[in-house]
Amino acid sequence: MPAPNIDTIVSLAKRRGFVFPSSEIYGGLGSAWDYGPLGVELSNNIKQSWWRWLVYDRDDIEGLDSSIILNRLVWKYSGHETTFHDPLVDCRECKTRLRADKIEGKCTNCGSTNLTEPRNFNMMFRTILGAAAEEDDPAALAYLRPETAQGIFINFLNVQTAMRRKIPFGIAQIGKSFRNEITPGNFILRTREFEQMEMEYFVKPDAEHLKLVDEWVEQYLEWFKSLGISSENLHLHEVPAEELAHYSKRTVDIMYRYFPERAEEERQWEELMGIAYRTDFDLRSHSSKPADEEGKRLNSDSTEDLSYFDEATKQRFYPHVIEPAAGVNRTLLAVLMDAYSEKTNDKGEMRVILKLSPQLAPIKAAILPLAKNKPEIVGMAKAIKRSLQPVLRAVYDDTGGIGKLYARQDEIGTPMCVTVDHQSLEDEAVTVRDRDTWEQERVKVAELADYLQRRLKATAPAQPVAATTSLEI
Ligand code: GAP
């Protein structure tokens, strides 16, 4: 049973230290959120899982970490300066600013149809570089990147030559992106600052691009399932031609059921990620060589030709690109919603259990002393915590009675609780309690690390096999 709505997760996330509203002591900042002690662990675990799956388990993908602020010309030639905008309207009655394509001609705040004509609003955040520059100096204008992808395209040749790569191969990057969204909202689903996990997969111009999109869709569905997301809450959306981004010939979105409480099935879904066939648009438009019919260079600023020479066929071409682009924040929200469950204990009290997959759980084992006023028990529990730490993320907690401590760990998704009691001092054994079944087992301290690791592995959803492509690598 997933969370009934996003609000349930907002409240759990704040109460238990996953996500806090940002700048709250100054009244907040619409759509900005801070990741607390458990949120940062969960987010890091998602990013690590992604990196391991793409960069380590496969042999055809390299990693990259490019700058957030790039030369403005990148955004000129990527097309973002002229096309990266949303249609904006104002409600003349209540003065609310709205995205015209999301409201069907009616103000979502007051219901009025008295709206201004739509006008384009560029979503890139602007900034000025240099202490001496004037606010309106076009030479000093720069943007915060609205996608991590461009940092990959402009480094295509660097990576390819430094790592002596042959096509097909990919470049993966995780990092913050920024968009001045007109209507941010729904918690961390749509924010102005967010994190992306993007991969550009470079292939030959005559590859079966549309089929490759399907292959990557299948691989990502497997990856999301390995994070514990149920396939019932995932579905595919083929983006209609008229809604495709300026660079895309085909995009398939993987949607997640973020709004299960909505009556109409089609309004329950929102994009979790997109897989696009970007053609050779970006590499070609960042290159110095391509010219128009009169021989005039299309890019008069670039100093490089980002084409690729295929030794086997002795042909030079601009590689085509398949791009799976996912959001860290949307993945984290989907993971939290899907892991949420409720269970009634034998006293008839409702308990929340976050059934996070063990690889994502912020804490793998909590070490709890049964009596916190007994120094020998506390000492033993702390020593066990320290001995486990190099092997798995463990915490020590004595801030309540054992029932409360168990309930708190269940609510943050800790798969195992280890209790040290009076008996432990004599038999060198502890009680291990399972988050999902609440079953308990007595385990020797000397065997504890191995036992926990084995159990964590056994309860994890299947890992996706090292993904492959139908192309020869
Ligand atoms: N390079 C292609 C690209 O950026 P996109 O569909 O605009 O494609 C990819 O973004 C993913 O980034 C989305 O599927 C979503 O997960 C995440 N994303 C985009 N805008 C977002 C926002 N305002 N807040 C949170 N996540 C966002």
Side-chain angles (χ1 to χ4, degrees), residues 80 84 146-150 153 177-181 184-185 187-198 200 245 247 251 253-254 258 271-276 278 323-331:
H80 283 76
F84 196 62
E147 61 169 8
T148 61
Q150 294 303 323
F153 293 126
S177 290
F178 302 81
R179 295 180 191 177
N180 205 355
E181 298 278 359
F187 189 37
I188 53 174
L189 192 66
R190 180 164 286 103
T191 50
R192 295 195 171 103
E193 172 182 345
F194 55 96
E195 213 167 1
Q196 292 185 306
M197 302 177 276
E198 296 201 287
E200 309 302 321
Y247 50 72
T251 300
D253 286 340
I254 298 184
Y258 289 106
E271 177 187 331
L272 168 59
M273 72 166 299
I275 293 107
R278 274 184 98 126
E323 176 197 67
V328 174
N329 320 78
R330 288 189 189 184
T331 304

Side-chain angles (χ1 to χ4, degrees), residues 392-457:
L392 47 85
R393 168 87 173 122
V395 296
Y396 167 86
D397 190 5
D398 65 6
T399 56
I402 196 70
K404 275 235 167 68
L405 295 180
Y406 282 154
R408 190 182 302 158
Q409 295 300 331
D410 286 347
E411 212 179 359
I412 62 173
T414 307
M416 307 278 165
C417 284
V418 174
T419 309
V420 180
D421 53 27
H422 296 87
Q423 182 74 19
S424 307
L425 300 173
E426 283 156 31
D427 65 1
E428 282 287 316
V430 287
T431 303
V432 178
R433 173 187 174 274
D434 181 277
R435 175 195 69 197
D436 301 341
T437 60
W438 293 351
E439 273 165 18
Q440 305 197 354
E441 203 171 325
R442 202 76 182 159
V443 179
K444 287 280 177 204
V445 174
E447 290 154 21
L448 186 62
D450 280 350
Y451 172 87
L452 292 176
Q453 280 177 292
R454 218 176 32 249
R455 287 286 302 274
L456 290 171
K457 248 200 185 132

Side-chain angles (χ1 to χ4, degrees), residues 33 74 89 95 105 147 157 164 167 199 206 232 254 270 274 312 376 410 444 451:
W33 300 87
V74 171
V89 292
K95 311 295 175 213
E147 61 169 8
L157 218 50
R164 296 195 231 135
I167 274 174
M199 200 273 289
D206 59 358
E232 273 172 31
I254 298 184
E270 182 60 75
E376 297 91 328
D410 286 347
K444 287 280 177 204
Y451 172 87

Side-chain angles (χ1 to χ4, degrees), residues 262-279:
R262 290 184 179 166
E264 306 99 285
E265 160 86 15
E266 69 271 21
R267 291 185 59 239
Q268 296 180 350
W269 305 86
E270 182 60 75
E271 177 187 331
L272 168 59
M273 72 166 299
I275 293 107
Y277 166 39
R278 274 184 98 126
T279 70

Side-chain angles (χ1 to χ4, degrees), residues 133-416:
E134 297 291 332
E135 276 292 295
D136 53 357
D137 179 357
L141 175 63
Y143 303 104
L144 305 187
R145 67 180 176 201
E147 61 169 8
T148 61
Q150 294 303 323
I152 297 181
F153 293 126
I154 59 174
N155 276 294
F156 165 73
L157 218 50
N158 288 335
V159 175
Q160 190 255 318
T161 38
M163 308 312 285
R164 296 195 231 135
R165 278 290 181 183
K166 285 203 173 72
I167 274 174
F169 78 96
I171 305 177
Q173 163 154 248
I174 299 177
K176 290 245 171 153
S177 290
F178 302 81
R179 295 180 191 177
N180 205 355
E181 298 278 359
I182 298 168
T183 47
N186 289 316
F187 189 37
I188 53 174
L189 192 66
R190 180 164 286 103
T191 50
R192 295 195 171 103
E193 172 182 345
F194 55 96
E195 213 167 1
Q196 292 185 306
M197 302 177 276
E198 296 201 287
M199 200 273 289
E200 309 302 321
Y201 198 70
F202 301 96
V203 300
K204 287 185 180 173
D206 59 358
E208 288 185 81
H209 308 112
L210 303 185
K211 184 174 149 211
L212 286 170
V213 169
D214 291 327
E215 283 183 15
W216 278 106
V217 167
E218 283 310 311
Q219 309 216 355
Y220 266 79
L221 287 173
E222 288 307 307
W223 182 65
F224 286 124
K225 281 189 239 163
S226 80
L227 301 184
I229 298 177
S230 145
S231 48
E232 273 172 31
N233 293 321
L234 295 169
H235 92 190
L236 303 181
H237 170 66
E238 184 81 41
V239 177
E242 64 278 13
E243 288 174 23
L244 290 174
H246 63 276
Y247 50 72
S248 175
K249 272 249 169 76
R250 182 188 179 203
T251 300
V252 176
D253 286 340
I254 298 184
M255 314 288 280
Y256 180 76
R257 200 194 298 268
Y258 289 106
F259 304 99
E261 75 281 14
R262 290 184 179 166
E264 306 99 285
E265 160 86 15
E266 69 271 21
R267 291 185 59 239
Q268 296 180 350
W269 305 86
E270 182 60 75
E271 177 187 331
L272 168 59
M273 72 166 299
I275 293 107
Y277 166 39
R278 274 184 98 126
T279 70
D280 59 355
F281 175 86
D282 300 88
L283 289 183
R284 183 181 279 279
S285 73
H286 284 307
S287 286
S288 53
K289 284 234 173 97
D292 63 16
E293 281 143 18
E294 280 138 35
K296 195 167 158 269
R297 275 170 59 182
L298 294 174
N299 183 330
S300 50
D301 296 296
S302 171
T303 58
E304 198 62 76
D305 183 44
L306 301 178
S307 62
Y308 170 87
F309 184 71
D310 188 351
E311 288 290 347
T313 60
K314 305 287 178 218
Q315 279 178 334
R316 183 168 282 286
F317 54 79
Y318 294 100
H320 283 228
V321 170
I322 314 296
E323 176 197 67
V328 174
N329 320 78
R330 288 189 189 184
T331 304
L332 187 141
L333 180 55
V335 159
L336 283 176
M337 290 189 74
D338 235 81
Y340 183 93
S341 71
E342 294 173 357
K343 181 168 170 171
T344 307
N345 66 12
D346 46 21
K347 291 186 201 136
E349 299 157 336
M350 194 278 281
R351 294 277 181 246
V352 171
I353 308 182
L354 212 49
K355 294 192 171 179
L356 290 174
S357 109
Q359 62 153 333
L360 296 188
I363 297 163
K364 314 297 181 206
I367 320 303
L368 316 171
L370 198 66
K372 71 169 174 183
N373 52 1
K374 198 97 183 190
E376 297 91 328
I377 292 183
V378 168
M380 185 173 177
K382 286 185 174 169
I384 290 175
K385 187 266 159 193
R386 277 196 301 277
S387 73
L388 287 176
Q389 192 50 63
V391 184
L392 47 85
R393 168 87 173 122
V395 296
Y396 167 86
D397 190 5
D398 65 6
T399 56
I402 196 70
K404 275 235 167 68
L405 295 180
Y406 282 154
R408 190 182 302 158
Q409 295 300 331
D410 286 347
E411 212 179 359
I412 62 173
T414 307
M416 307 278 165

